[in-house]
Amino acid sequence: MQRSVPQLGDHVMKVYETYADTLFRIAMVHLGRREDAEEATQDTFIKLIEKAPTFNDAEHQKHG
């Protein structure tokens, strides 16, 4: 019998679905170019995957 253990990818996908649009909009305001905002958003999620930090709760994750 195998136990279902949440994978890092599942966590990242949930975070992406929750915050990607907001992060992209913020990046657009600050960077002004769609390409730069897309790259900044992508880089942010790459860092999340690489570092895999532990957050206390959703609010900490949002502002971490």
Side-chain angles (χ1 to χ4, degrees):
M1 178 191 296
Q2 284 185 318
R3 288 191 316 180
S4 176
V5 178
Q7 299 295 316
L8 176 60
D10 294 338
H11 171 71
V12 172
M13 286 306 299
K14 287 179 185 176
V15 172
Y16 182 84
E17 290 168 358
T18 302
Y19 298 112
D21 288 339
T22 301
L23 182 59
F24 175 78
R25 286 192 300 262
I26 292 168
M28 274 297 294
V29 168
H30 287 280
L31 301 173
R33 290 187 49 218
R34 179 176 192 85
E35 296 82 7
D36 293 338
E38 288 171 348
E39 185 173 344
T41 302
Q42 180 182 28
D43 288 348
T44 300
F45 285 100
I46 289 170
K47 286 180 183 179
L48 176 64
I49 292 167
E50 290 174 347
K51 302 212 183 263
T54 302
F55 297 106
N56 298 330
D57 55 32
E59 194 63 22
H60 181 220
Q61 178 173 295
K62 183 177 178 182
H63 298 289

